[in-house]
Amino acid sequence: MTRLLRLLPDLAPWRSSSDFRLLWVQGLVAYFASFMALIALPLQIKDLTDSPLAVGAMGAVELVPLIVFGLYGGALADAVDRRKVIVATEAGLALLALVLFLNALLPQPLLWPLYVVAAGVSALAGLQRPALDSLMARIVPHAQQTAAAALNSLRWQLGSIAGPALAGLVVAYAGHAPAYAVGATGFVVSVLLCRRLSPAPPARDAEKPSLRGIVEGARYAWSRPVLLGTYAIDLAAMFFAFPNTIFPFLADDLDAEWSLGLMYAAGSVGSLVLGLTSGWTSRVRRHGLLVVAGATGWGLAIAAAGWFGNVWLVLLCLAFAGAGDMLSGLGRSTIWNQTIPEELRGRLAGIEVLSYSVGPQLGQVRAGAMAGWTGTRAAVWSGGVACVASVGLLCLALPKLLAYDAATDEDALARKAAAVA
């Protein structure tokens, strides 16, 4: 029984930090609010245009704002009170959800506001994520960063499983306007929760957001092989082995069109299972090994999903892939929060936003193009193999990532000393 209890999530961050508890609950509320728009928005574009190209164009209008405002948001998080950034962006998301609601009430809803709002949501997310991510190192004790990452991932998985299901029901039975209204209400609740956070002012000598500051953060990341390895492995894993966009074709190839929804949910289920048994990760010091093992497991599972012809084995593989992705994410998040200096945390968080958001976008393009050339299943399994190979090459090129030990790494020790001081 004791061994089983040690597998349960480590709740130390929840007990030790009231701000962590607030952010955990706020994040869950915000996820549900976001999924209302994530589900309703493309469905409304589909209803208005009946065009796959028009729906796919959402990704194009979202990518550039995410990159630009993600980098700027990192510099902003180092220069102003991070709580204010979070509150302001949540309020902005509430206003955009209100715009969608009002547009949906029109006798003939307009198409162009949907793209404008999609770009606006992407921009606000880019501004907010560095402030949110960089706040974690300040409100959670150094030794509890892995536990905090596991609890945050668990929150995300709960939201990503239940959120789309609830949003789908609201859209199907009530329509687009009620879904947007629920989303706007959720963001208002999120604002009220965020206002209760402790102030998170910048350092006294913090500079105003600037291109020079962004470049300074990039130089720091480039000079740290461990950080560089976390970014590179995540980008490689997502670029080569993120086949979600071709799941409808994979379901057709397996003669199991009914399994499409399960394919999209399987990864989240695998991540959720790992999250519920993540207690052991709090006792790990070699977080670079978690990054490498998780990314390798992700690639192997995706390769197997493309190779097997039985739909249930494919779904099982996708669940294992989700667990591997979460394991890698725990390692990356811990390394980031344990090693990056407070005065650079926001700018590096901006780079992190790009590392885990641009990869899936490009990965979907790769998967679609490869499927058109080689066939769907070949595109999936070959991407998984390429992921494993690229992780191996990156380990050879950046051996310090594998050697990372939280108890001996100079940056981790310096960050720990600064946190104690």
Side-chain angles (χ1 to χ4, degrees):
M1 179 63 69
T2 302
R3 291 184 177 180
L4 289 177
L5 291 175
R6 287 164 66 88
L7 290 176
L8 295 177
D10 184 352
L11 300 179
W14 182 274
R15 292 191 293 265
S16 65
S17 173
S18 60
D19 280 337
F20 179 82
R21 293 194 295 272
L22 274 173
L23 279 180
W24 200 94
V25 175
Q26 173 272 330
L28 191 61
V29 173
Y31 287 155
F32 277 94
S34 298
F35 276 117
M36 287 295 166
L38 287 174
I39 299 298
L41 191 55
L43 284 177
Q44 189 175 19
I45 294 176
K46 175 181 177 294
D47 290 344
L48 291 174
T49 66
D50 196 28
S51 167
L53 180 60
V55 177
M58 273 186 60
V61 303
E62 291 170 343
L63 183 58
V64 173
L66 181 63
I67 294 173
V68 174
F69 286 92
L71 291 173
Y72 180 76
L76 187 68
D78 284 334
V80 301
D81 189 318
R82 291 166 187 169
R83 182 187 65 169
K84 293 181 179 179
V85 175
I86 296 168
V87 170
T89 50
E90 284 295 292
L93 290 170
L95 288 174
L96 290 179
L98 181 59
V99 170
L100 292 175
F101 170 70
L102 294 175
N103 182 62
L105 291 179
L106 295 175
Q108 293 186 340
L110 302 174
L111 178 63
W112 64 266
L114 305 184
Y115 291 109
V116 172
V117 168
V121 168
S122 185
L124 289 173
L127 285 174
Q128 184 188 83
R129 285 305 296 268
L132 272 174
D133 292 349
S134 60
L135 196 59
M136 205 55 57
R138 179 177 291 193
I139 65 176
V140 174
H142 187 271
Q144 297 175 11
Q145 288 299 328
T146 304
L151 290 174
N152 283 334
S153 295
L154 184 60
R155 176 192 62 186
W156 162 249
Q157 300 309 329
L158 289 171
S160 65
I161 293 172
L166 178 61
L169 289 174
V170 172
V171 173
Y173 290 100
H176 302 107
Y180 296 139
V182 172
T185 303
F187 285 123
V188 170
V189 173
S190 177
V191 169
L192 296 176
L193 290 171
C194 289
R195 286 176 59 86
R196 297 178 59 190
L197 292 169
S198 302
R204 291 183 179 179
D205 56 350
E207 300 179 1
K208 293 182 179 180
S210 65
L211 181 59
R212 186 182 70 171
I214 294 173
V215 171
E216 180 185 358
R219 285 175 177 169
Y220 180 87
W222 186 261
S223 70
R224 297 300 194 273
V226 174
L227 289 178
L228 201 59
T230 63
Y231 301 145
I233 283 181
D234 190 34
L235 280 169
M238 293 297 103
F239 175 75
F240 288 114
F242 192 79
N244 290 29
T245 194
I246 57 174
F247 278 171
F249 302 95
L250 181 60
D252 287 346
D253 278 5
L254 297 172
D255 195 25
E257 292 82 358
W258 53 267
S259 68
L260 180 58
L262 296 177
M263 287 184 181
Y264 283 114
S268 294
V269 172
S271 297
L272 179 61
V273 171
L274 182 66
L276 292 173
T277 57
S278 62
W280 62 274
T281 60
S282 296
R283 298 181 287 276
V284 173
R285 300 186 322 189
R286 302 285 300 278
H287 302 106
L289 285 176
L290 291 185
V291 175
V292 173
T296 302
W298 161 268
L300 289 173
I302 292 296
W307 185 262
F308 288 128
N310 181 283
V311 66
W312 294 108
L313 288 177
V314 170
L315 292 172
L316 182 63
C317 289
L318 293 176
F320 275 110
D325 184 44
M326 181 174 176
L327 186 65
S328 182
L330 292 182
R332 293 195 310 272
S333 180
T334 303
I335 290 173
W336 294 340
N337 287 328
Q338 284 187 342
T339 63
I340 297 172
E342 176 63 22
E343 64 272 14
L344 291 172
R345 192 67 195 86
R347 279 165 283 182
L348 271 294
I351 295 174
E352 292 154 19
V353 169
L354 301 187
S355 79
Y356 59 66
S357 59
V358 173
Q361 296 273 11
L362 296 178
Q364 294 190 86
V365 175
R366 183 216 67 85
M370 195 76 179
W373 181 35
T374 65
T376 302
R377 290 175 61 188
V380 176
W381 71 254
S382 63
V385 171
C387 167
V388 174
S390 63
V391 170
L393 291 174
L394 287 169
C395 287
L396 293 175
L398 299 166
K400 287 189 176 181
L401 176 62
L402 273 177
Y404 175 84
D405 188 324
T408 59
D409 182 83
E410 292 182 1
D411 290 329
L413 292 174
R415 181 73 185 86
K416 183 177 182 180
V420 172

